[in-house]
Amino acid sequence: MRAILEGSKAVAEAVRMCRPNLVCAYPITPQTHIVEELSHMVADGRLEAGFVLAESEFGAASIVLGGSVVGGRAYTATSSQGLLLMVEVIFNIAGLRLPVVMTCANRAVSAPINIWNDQQDAVSIRDSGWIQLYVEDNQEAVDTHIQAFRIAEELMIPVMVCMDGYVLTHTMEPVDIPEQEEVDRFLPPYRPKYRLDPDDPFTMGAMVGPDAYMETRYHVHMDMMEARSVIQRVADDYAQAFGRHHGGLVETYDLEGADVVLVSMGSLLGTMREAVDELRKEGLKVGILKVRCFRPFPKEAIHDALQGIEVVGVIEKDISLGLEGTLCSEMRAAFCGEESPNISSFIMGLGGRDITVEEIKQVARDLASNPACRVEFRGLKEELLRGDEG
Amino acid sequence: MMSEETRKVINLLEPGHTGCAGCGQAIAARLVLKAAGPRVIVANATGCLEVYTTTYPRSSWEVPWIHSLFENAAAVAAGMEVTLKAMGRYEGIKIIAQAGDGGTADIGMGCISGMFERGHDILYVCYDNEGYMNTGYQRSGLTPPGARTTTSPPGRFSYGNRTRKKNMPMIAVAHGVPYVATATVSEPRDLMRKVQKALEIQGPKYLHILVPCVPGWGYESELTVELARLAVETNLFPIFEVENGVITKVKKPKETRPVEDYLRPQRRFAHLFQPGGEKVLEEIRRIAEENSRLEPGPARLFGPSLPE
Ligand SMILES: Cc1ncc(C[n+]2csc(CCOP(=O)(O)OP(=O)(O)O)c2C)c(N)n1
Ligand code: SF4
Ligand SMILES: [Mg+2]
């Protein structure tokens, strides 16, 4: 079914078709429309899931954890402060190997409080042991949620689908909503490898000391590494079943003979494609690398995609304060011990500041004329930096 | 795997764990499970009980059991209950959330309040040993006035803990929890009866159990049950039941003992018997006296007025 839907509603439709046993969340802008839509579905009987309006995001994350340990397919959604309030549980869910799926409607982090989009929230918890997939548009959001449950349940690793707040969640776009039967064929009922059941009692969440803790972390790490091939395969299977592919781990655009490659995650890719098309017409050979999977980090795929490329600019809506953009640091890791392209960090769009096609083009032009590695903020207001505004 | 019949007769919380000899919490937890039977799922908060029963690769639990975090046992249990119901697998299963006084009355309060308010069919058990024992005997919101803990030491300007015990049972009652009760390990039959009664009631249930702690309170390990009894007989820990907002039962000591009988054997109160301690003893006597006036009838907020 093709429909013009707001991103949040499209995601709610996708989640509904994945037949979760438990949906639990706490409202926060800009995730709210997803929870509201799911509430409507429950109220109308269109979604037959356990549904809990939690007392906080910390509670919501703990509740989906509980739903998952008894063998249910569990879903939650949040943003920004909500995600940070969940953090202790987020790590716990991953360590307990529970295949929870979450939508993160990406939003800036306080202080100062700001409800608009950037990606600092999800990037800040990259080490939690969750798979993180960033989507470019609402169609990809729908398709990635359906993939997410399959990936999570095959690997027993939780998956976070990151979609830019407002830019995607609050924007109407035409999307193809698959048929329920198609989704059922792609995503079979969840058959947990283990669950709490009085018929077969076992203990979860034991205290593990120095004699064995490291091995448990090693296992999770190795399975995360393995997840890369699963994420790729599930994306390929999805393309077979539904005819749409958004890249498994990464996607490239116009890399052929590119003098400069721009890299990013999420909805900015759409603007970047426009910028690159124009630049090519103007005679500047610029390509794009879209990082769809941020955790596990697809080092090899990035390394292979950028063979022969000399200048790379990473444009990102997050910053590791005191260093540079986080994606930029990680890109460098893909070339460890080898000749690396010059990889520069461009911090843009924090707290919802607009990133224009022209600004992206300027980044590419500047990199073409000066390829040196650097960290730059773009789009800053000089008058505010000078303190003219008070 | 053991048959259900076998699991009915064995201890569902097995011995062999690493808890202190005489741990009141271990006695209480064993009784709770004995009363509940094998068809339960337990969500346990971080704390002494969790740590000493599940030192990997061993576990003392013969029931399905999970530890997630310090402050979320109520929420984890809520997620289980809703999901099992949604999956049609809830029939015949009881869910217990349990935590210490810290995991309950301090850090866990938000999740518990949510669980109460939404009316989940869960028995919540608080094992109250009046401090953060697992981390080395720090004070909690349930540490009584005058008690020495590692964060409320007596000193030139201090007679130990300044605050009164937060009234958790009445906080549960105020949420409209249909069954709220207190118990202690000196009355095992009463404790087990309350567990069984609670598990027959639909909705949230709150059971608050006083569990003496050998090193935290500072007494000889054979005195655990005796101290629990003295806490009741001095009226420092009232034993009662509240059903649908009405106090239906109060256990009155046959003979009321002076608070000193309970306080003296415990090193955490030793400084109260030094010069200057009398003021705090007076306060403790006042609490005992207030508690002694607890009668069946509509539950009202009793107990804590602010200390001077
Ligand atoms: C978020 C968080 N803060 C602090 C701790 C450290 N901690 C673990 S157990 C505990 C105290 C437990 O006290 P209580 O709930 O009364 O249980 P007890 O050990 O006394 O039985 C503390 C402070 C923790 N595990 N998690
Ligand atoms: S410290 Fe106290 S609560 Fe912990 S095991 Fe020992 S007696 Fe039990
Ligand atoms: Mg305690």
Side-chain angles (χ1 to χ4, degrees):
Chain A
M1 180 193 75
R2 195 154 176 83
I4 298 188
L5 283 182
E6 191 200 56
S8 299
K9 291 201 172 169
V11 165
E13 285 298 330
V15 169
R16 179 182 64 74
M17 283 191 295
C18 292
R19 301 186 188 277
N21 302 110
L22 176 65
V23 172
C24 175
Y26 187 90
I28 180 169
T29 304
Q31 152 267 31
T32 336
H33 288 187
I34 301 175
V35 192
E36 288 173 354
E37 185 61 16
L38 289 165
S39 307
H40 280 295
M41 289 175 176
V42 172
D44 301 343
R46 280 186 294 148
L47 173 60
E48 280 180 40
F51 186 71
V52 184
L53 296 173
E55 71 287 346
S56 72
E57 286 89 353
F58 179 86
S62 302
I63 289 166
V64 290
L65 185 157
S68 191
V69 291
V70 293
R73 181 173 283 164
Y75 169 82
T76 187
T78 192
S79 289
S80 178
Q81 309 309 124
L83 187 70
L84 295 190
L85 188 58
M86 282 184 179
V87 164
E88 195 190 7
V89 194
I90 299 261
F91 277 75
N92 202 245
I93 287 173
L96 288 167
R97 302 301 298 263
L98 301 173
V100 172
V101 169
M102 175 197 304
T103 311
C104 178
N106 297 109
R107 163 182 153 180
V109 163
S110 178
I113 189 166
N114 173 300
I115 60 169
W116 290 274
N117 166 245
D118 68 29
Q119 295 172 342
Q120 190 68 56
D121 51 3
V123 167
S124 297
I125 58 155
R126 58 165 195 195
D127 298 338
S128 60
W130 284 58
I131 290 168
Q132 285 195 8
L133 304 175
Y134 287 73
V135 303
E136 180 175 346
D137 56 29
N138 289 342
Q139 184 67 62
E140 186 176 355
V142 167
D143 297 337
T144 302
H145 278 85
I146 299 168
Q147 295 173 26
F149 283 101
R150 229 182 78 177
I151 295 165
E153 290 166 13
E154 178 169 340
L155 292 160
M156 297 302 275
I157 295 178
V159 177
M160 185 178 305
V161 180
C162 302
M163 67 189 290
D164 286 316
Y166 288 114
V167 185
L168 297 182
T169 55
H170 287 52
T171 303
M172 307 281 276
E173 278 179 9
V175 279
D176 256 320
I177 301 290
E179 297 300 321
Q180 181 69 62
E181 303 81 70
E182 294 178 296
V183 176
D184 288 343
R185 235 173 290 133
F186 182 78
L187 179 68
Y190 170 40
R191 304 241 174 276
K193 296 193 177 73
Y194 36 83
R195 68 171 173 215
L196 291 184
D197 180 355
D199 289 328
D200 184 12
F202 84 107
T203 293
M204 276 180 93
M207 173 80 147
V208 179
D211 49 335
Y213 181 84
M214 245 179 106
E215 287 69 19
T216 69
R217 302 305 282 171
Y218 174 79
H219 280 304
V220 183
H221 173 67
M222 292 316 283
D223 290 349
M224 269 298 244
M225 299 303 273
E226 176 64 26
R228 292 174 301 181
S229 64
V230 176
I231 293 162
Q232 186 64 53
R233 169 161 51 73
V234 170
D236 297 344
D237 287 355
Y238 193 89
Q240 283 254 305
F242 298 90
R244 284 187 298 274
H245 203 292
H246 307 278
L249 302 169
V250 299
E251 195 184 33
T252 59
Y253 184 72
D254 264 357
L255 276 197
E256 266 311 298
D259 295 322
V260 173
V261 172
L262 300 179
V263 182
S264 196
M265 304 193 289
S267 65
L268 187 61
L269 269 302
T271 322
M272 283 166 64
R273 284 177 208 267
E274 237 179 274
V276 163
D277 289 347
E278 290 182 20
L279 286 166
R280 286 257 170 185
K281 277 191 208 125
E282 291 163 21
L284 192 63
K285 284 190 273 175
V286 181
I288 293 175
L289 177 74
K290 154 175 159 176
V291 177
R292 178 173 183 258
C293 175
F294 178 59
R295 274 296 178 281
F297 194 67
K299 268 179 15 177
E300 289 77 8
I302 288 169
H303 178 268
D304 294 351
L306 296 182
Q307 275 312 304
I309 302 293
E310 287 177 3
V311 185
V312 172
V314 183
I315 302 181
E316 57 189 306
K317 299 189 266 187
D318 65 85
I319 179 164
S320 175
L321 296 168
L323 182 59
E324 62 196 356
T326 299
L327 179 59
C328 175
S329 303
E330 312 219 332
M331 294 285 300
R332 299 212 174 104
F335 299 92
C336 176
E338 285 181 40
E339 196 161 339
S340 164
N342 280 357
I343 304 178
S344 287
S345 179
F346 293 88
I347 310 300
M348 300 173 75
L350 299 187
R353 177 145 311 165
D354 228 17
I355 304 177
T356 64
V357 171
E358 186 44 41
E359 281 173 317
I360 293 171
K361 286 166 74 177
Q362 196 55 45
V363 168
R365 287 189 205 108
D366 292 349
L367 280 172
S369 58
N370 171 17
C373 278
R374 57 199 191 263
V375 181
E376 286 184 20
F377 276 65
R378 288 290 171 108
L380 291 174
K381 293 184 176 166
E382 285 303 325
E383 67 278 17
L384 287 187
L385 294 179
R386 283 195 309 266
D388 291 358
E389 299 287 293
Chain B
M1 194 194 106
M2 232 176 269
S3 78
E4 196 145 302
E5 285 313 303
T6 320
R7 292 206 288 130
K8 270 184 196 147
V9 292
I10 57 156
N11 280 329
L12 294 172
L13 172 59
E14 297 266 32
H17 54 70
T18 57
C20 306
C23 172
Q25 189 165 197
I27 301 171
R30 186 163 45 77
L31 293 170
V32 167
L33 277 193
K34 195 172 167 138
R39 298 207 56 82
V40 296
I41 304 180
V42 178
N44 206 133
T46 312
C48 259
L49 179 63
E50 164 263 326
V51 170
Y52 68 64
T53 55
T54 64
T55 311
Y56 178 84
R58 283 175 290 277
S59 168
S60 301
W61 301 94
E62 293 289 355
V63 294
W65 181 98
I66 183 171
H67 159 246
S68 167
L69 297 169
F70 186 19
E71 64 277 43
N72 70 355
V76 171
M80 292 177 180
E81 182 244 18
V82 172
T83 306
L84 286 172
K85 282 183 172 165
M87 295 172 81
R89 291 184 42 232
Y90 185 64
E91 194 71 29
I93 294 180
K94 304 288 186 195
I95 296 179
I96 296 177
Q98 54 186 20
D101 46 293
T104 299
D106 294 342
I107 202 166
M109 191 66 102
C111 288
I112 292 167
S113 178
M115 186 272 272
F116 285 165
E117 166 217 316
R118 292 186 301 265
H120 296 280
D121 189 24
I122 290 168
L123 169 60
Y124 189 100
V125 182
C126 169
Y127 298 101
D128 180 8
N129 53 20
E130 306 193 321
Y132 301 158
M133 301 321 186
N134 182 54
T135 40
Y137 329 118
Q138 296 88 17
R139 83 163 284 282
S140 81
L142 293 186
T143 301
R148 166 207 294 270
T149 70
T150 51
T151 52
S152 62
R156 247 177 84 205
F157 302 105
S158 163
Y159 287 96
N161 186 50
R162 286 167 188 273
T163 52
R164 283 193 175 192
K165 283 172 80 70
K166 200 182 285 186
N167 196 333
M168 253 329 277
M170 285 302 133
I171 289 171
V173 170
H175 279 80
V177 171
Y179 183 74
V180 175
T182 64
T184 187
V185 289
S186 60
E187 309 265 341
R189 257 195 293 261
D190 176 68
L191 190 161
M192 286 177 62
R193 178 184 66 78
K194 284 170 175 164
V195 170
Q196 276 160 352
K197 181 167 177 179
L199 289 175
E200 274 162 26
I201 294 167
Q202 282 294 315
K205 285 82 62 172
Y206 181 76
L207 180 59
H208 191 112
I209 310 179
L210 183 74
V211 289
C213 165
V214 179
W217 294 12
Y219 63 86
E220 300 309 317
S221 59
E222 66 274 13
L223 285 184
T224 297
V225 172
E226 182 58 19
L227 277 177
R229 190 189 334 276
L230 284 165
V232 180
E233 290 177 348
T234 53
N235 280 319
L236 284 174
F237 189 81
I239 302 282
F240 59 92
E241 276 172 285
V242 187
E243 294 172 70
N244 301 311
V246 177
I247 302 175
T248 51
K249 222 171 180 174
V250 180
K251 187 185 158 64
K252 293 278 178 190
K254 284 196 192 72
E255 191 190 337
T256 303
R257 310 261 297 252
V259 296
E260 288 81 353
D261 287 10
Y262 171 68
L263 304 176
R264 269 198 198 278
Q266 304 182 49
R267 278 196 296 282
R268 63 176 172 157
F269 296 116
H271 57 282
L272 301 185
F273 299 98
Q274 303 293 318
E278 184 54 31
K279 213 174 137 212
V280 183
L281 285 174
E282 224 5 84
E283 157 85 359
I284 295 173
R285 282 185 208 113
R286 205 157 49 233
I287 292 169
E289 200 275 322
E290 271 174 28
N291 288 340
S292 75
R293 282 187 269 133
L294 190 62
E295 294 291 346
R300 61 190 167 80
L301 288 178
F302 65 88
S305 47
L306 284 176
E308 285 148 42

